[in-house]
């Protein structure tokens, strides 16, 4: 897909992706997330994402929310371990309105104390709701074990204790030190000329004070494997098992994305789904996921099943891993896996808000954006030898960590 990048003097990049659609999508992506918090500030990045919708120098909460919703647009945001993203989908005439609002909430929020205290209650409810969902809570607990002692192990929402202590000073200090202008991308996919987008982008963002002071991140150590069982008053067993693995910049990243898709990724034809769900009827949900990060990665498998079937499920997963280690993929199997993955990526391009956010993230991560054909070429270049090396490395159980939520009677 055609794109252009214009860099403002303060370092903010404007990404322009032209399309003929009447619907536009935009985001502002900031390279700051939960891994950038101090130990006592767990949940701060996510808390800020909430608070920027509360009050600015010229708008109250209702005015912020109605600014786009009143014209039928959608405004939302999310926080990850490494990024904060505000995004919107809107009709073509409302580009100016959208970018002006982005500027207002990101750079002119006032964080009044009464709103801070009120929003703490909202986040505390969110944390409680999350903990009531074992299939969600186990992911955070697993990563806490996998990255013990490092920021990656923290719950993005924080804890009731840390959220309750967050202050206006914490918020302002985090934004000042972590919201670097050279680590921000404003991306727009829509039916606009580059000249028009740059003109509006400069109108709202050129005067933002530059902040390019580097804030080094701590690379996570490789921890020894750990296997834990936690008794919980829940109906089903929930399990996660996995390991630290390749970062965004590792040459095997594409190969592991391909392996993940084959083994337990999207679709009903994955190895794990066919074996555990279709053949044995053991688990309704069985999936694997690979999350490459800037300086590490996570490969993990999750399943939920009845208590008496949990051990059998783990045995079957290990059996399928060992099959791939003992009998390498053939060229035909690899070619089929590549075609499947390429087709899924192509269909995913239809999700235009996801596409523009992914392109903005690529610009931050790699300082470039690969064309769809370049992505496909990387997938086609993965060899049987590459896959075999990845399988033996990632499926080395001596490196694996596991966490099992074991149901107990209340």
């Amino acid at each position: 897909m055609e794109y252009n990048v214009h860099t403002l003097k303060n370092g903010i990049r404007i990404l322009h992706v032209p399309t003929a659609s009447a619907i536009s999508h935009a985001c502002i992506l900031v390279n700051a997330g939960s891994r950038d918090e101090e130990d006592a500030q767990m949940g701060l990045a996510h808390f800020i994402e909430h608070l920027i919708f509360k009050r600015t120098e010229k708008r109250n909460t209702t005015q912020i929310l109605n600014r786009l919703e009143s014209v039928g647009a959608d405004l939302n945001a999310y926080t990850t371990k490494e990024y904060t993203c505000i995004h919107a989908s809107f009709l073509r005439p409302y580009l100016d309105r959208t970018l002006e609002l982005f500027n207002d909430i990101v750079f002119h929020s006032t964080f009044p104390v009464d709103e801070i205290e009120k929003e703490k209650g909202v986040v505390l409810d969110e944390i409680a709701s999350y903990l009531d969902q074992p299939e969600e809570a186990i992911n955070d607990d697993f990563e806490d074990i996998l990255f013990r002692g490092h920021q990656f192990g923290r719950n993005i929402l924080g804890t009731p204790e840390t959220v309750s202590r967050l202050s206006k000073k914490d918020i302002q200090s985090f934004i000042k030190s972590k919201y670097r202008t050279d680590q921000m991308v404003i991306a727009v996919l829509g039916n606009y000329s580059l000249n028009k987008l740059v003109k509006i982008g400069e109108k709202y963002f050129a005067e933002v004070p530059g902040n390019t002071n580097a804030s080094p991140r701590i690379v996570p150590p490789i921890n020894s494997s750990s296997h834990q069982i936690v008794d919980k008053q829940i109906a089903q067993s929930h399990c996660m098992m996995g390991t630290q693995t390749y970062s965004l910049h590792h040459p095997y990243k594409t190969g592991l994305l391909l392996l993940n898709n084959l083994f337990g990724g999207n679709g009903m034809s994955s190895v794990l789904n066919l074996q555990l769900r279709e053949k044995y009827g053991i688990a309704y949900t069985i999936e694997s996921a690979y999350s490459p990060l800037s300086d590490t990665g996570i490969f993990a498998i999750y399943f939920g099943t009845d208590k008496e079937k949990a051990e059998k499920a783990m045995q079957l997963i290990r059996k399928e891993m060992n099959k791939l280690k003992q009998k390498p993929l053939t060229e035909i199997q690899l070619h089929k896996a590549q075609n499947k993955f390429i087709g899924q990526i192509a269909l995913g391009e239809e999700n235009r808000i996801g596409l523009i956010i992914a392109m903005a993230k690529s610009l931050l991560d790699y300082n470039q954006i690969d064309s769809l054909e370049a992505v496909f070429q990387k997938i086609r270049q993965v060899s049987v030898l590459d896959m075999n090396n990845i399988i033996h490395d990632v499926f080395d159980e001596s490196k694996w960590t596991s966490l099992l939520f074991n149901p107990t009677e209340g």
Side-chain angles (χ1 to χ4, degrees):
M1 180 170 284
E2 178 189 348
Y3 74 91
N4 303 283
V5 178
H6 177 80
T7 305
L8 303 177
K9 290 181 180 179
N10 54 21
I12 295 175
R13 281 170 285 183
I14 298 173
L15 171 61
H16 167 252
V17 183
T19 178
S21 175
I23 306 298
S24 302
H25 306 279
C27 71
I28 177 165
L29 189 67
V30 184
N31 196 2
S34 62
R35 75 169 298 179
D36 301 300
E37 301 160 351
E38 299 296 332
D39 290 343
Q41 298 177 332
M42 283 177 61
L44 179 55
H46 170 259
F47 193 48
I48 291 170
E49 174 229 306
H50 273 237
L51 285 169
I52 60 174
F53 294 96
K54 294 305 170 185
R55 199 175 300 170
T56 69
E57 294 165 4
K58 64 181 181 181
R59 290 187 174 97
N60 59 31
T61 303
T62 302
Q63 291 168 330
I64 290 170
L65 298 178
N66 281 339
R67 183 64 179 157
L68 289 183
E69 287 193 4
S70 64
V71 292
D74 177 66
L75 174 67
N76 215 327
Y78 65 86
T79 307
T80 71
K81 294 185 186 278
E82 297 195 294
Y83 303 97
T84 301
C85 180
I86 298 95
H87 57 88
S89 299
F90 49 94
L91 292 174
R92 184 176 179 272
Y94 301 117
L95 175 64
D96 190 287
R97 177 183 291 234
T98 301
L99 295 190
E100 186 275 332
L101 184 63
F102 280 4
N103 169 273
D104 195 31
I105 63 178
V106 174
F107 298 104
H108 298 283
S109 285
T110 55
F111 308 110
V113 174
D114 61 327
E115 291 290 354
I116 290 173
E117 294 307 311
K118 189 192 306 180
E119 200 61 23
K120 283 180 181 180
V122 174
V123 175
L124 292 177
D125 283 345
E126 186 178 359
I127 292 171
S129 173
Y130 199 73
L131 293 175
D132 279 342
Q133 303 174 63
E135 67 276 15
E136 300 290 344
I138 194 172
N139 183 74
D140 283 318
D141 290 358
F142 172 77
E143 290 183 4
D144 191 23
I145 298 168
L146 193 65
F147 293 105
R148 56 190 178 275
H150 188 271
Q151 295 94 327
F152 273 140
R154 296 174 179 161
N155 188 321
I156 291 170
L157 302 180
T159 68
E161 294 75 24
T162 59
V163 171
S164 296
R165 291 196 299 263
L166 294 176
S167 67
K168 182 171 182 174
K169 182 179 179 181
D170 291 327
I171 293 165
Q172 292 173 326
S173 176
F174 186 87
I175 290 173
K176 182 178 180 180
S177 62
K178 307 300 181 183
Y179 276 40
R180 294 168 48 192
T181 48
D182 63 337
Q183 292 298 309
M184 294 182 184
V185 172
I186 297 158
V188 176
L189 185 153
N191 189 7
Y192 313 105
S193 67
L194 174 62
N195 182 61
K196 178 174 181 176
L197 177 57
V198 168
K199 185 176 180 180
I200 297 175
E202 288 184 335
K203 175 181 175 183
Y204 293 117
F205 298 99
E207 299 306 316
V208 172
N211 174 14
T212 58
N213 294 323
S215 182
R217 287 169 163 171
I218 300 170
V219 178
I222 302 296
N223 290 319
S224 56
S225 63
S226 173
H227 304 282
Q228 299 186 23
I229 298 174
V230 178
D231 291 335
K232 285 187 173 286
Q233 293 183 19
I234 52 180
Q236 269 198 325
S237 291
H238 297 266
C239 181
M240 286 198 70
M241 47 201 300
T243 183
Q244 291 184 50
T245 185
Y246 313 131
S247 76
L248 285 164
H249 308 286
H250 197 283
Y252 277 162
K253 184 199 79 168
T254 301
L256 184 50
L257 286 169
L258 181 58
L259 174 62
N260 172 67
N261 194 62
L262 166 74
F263 195 64
N266 293 332
M268 302 293 284
S269 62
S270 71
V271 170
L272 292 180
N273 194 74
L274 287 175
Q275 290 299 310
L276 273 79
R277 176 170 172 164
E278 300 301 329
K279 184 174 181 179
Y280 291 97
I282 282 183
Y284 175 73
T285 302
I286 172 70
E287 59 193 11
S288 67
Y290 167 43
S291 304
L293 301 161
S294 59
D295 46 18
T296 187
I298 306 166
F299 180 83
I301 296 167
Y302 163 80
F303 68 84
T305 190
D306 294 336
K307 181 178 181 178
E308 62 273 13
K309 297 177 182 177
E311 182 58 37
K312 177 68 171 178
M314 286 188 276
Q315 290 174 0
L316 287 172
I317 290 168
R318 294 188 185 100
K319 179 181 176 181
E320 294 307 319
M321 290 164 57
N322 287 328
K323 275 186 186 178
L324 285 174
K325 286 194 288 186
Q326 293 163 8
K327 187 178 180 181
L329 292 177
T330 65
E331 291 285 355
I332 293 175
Q333 288 172 318
L334 175 58
H335 185 64
K336 287 181 178 179
Q338 289 167 328
N339 285 343
K340 175 186 174 184
F341 194 30
I342 286 170
Q344 290 173 339
I345 292 172
L347 289 176
E349 293 284 291
E350 294 298 310
N351 175 7
R352 291 308 175 95
I353 186 63
L355 173 62
I356 193 61
I357 293 172
M359 294 179 76
K361 186 175 180 295
S362 182
L363 198 57
L364 283 179
D365 291 338
Y366 304 109
N367 203 33
Q368 68 177 44
I369 302 168
D370 284 340
S371 67
L372 203 56
E373 186 51 48
V375 172
F376 295 164
Q377 188 63 27
K378 287 180 180 179
I379 294 170
R380 293 188 186 102
Q381 287 173 347
V382 175
S383 67
V384 166
L385 178 60
D386 291 336
M387 291 293 280
N388 194 38
N389 289 339
I390 293 166
I391 288 166
H392 279 80
D393 183 22
V394 177
F395 287 176
D396 180 353
E397 288 189 63
S398 68
K399 302 176 183 178
W400 277 49
T401 285
S402 67
L403 173 62
L404 176 69
F405 281 180
N406 182 53
T408 59
E409 294 184 5

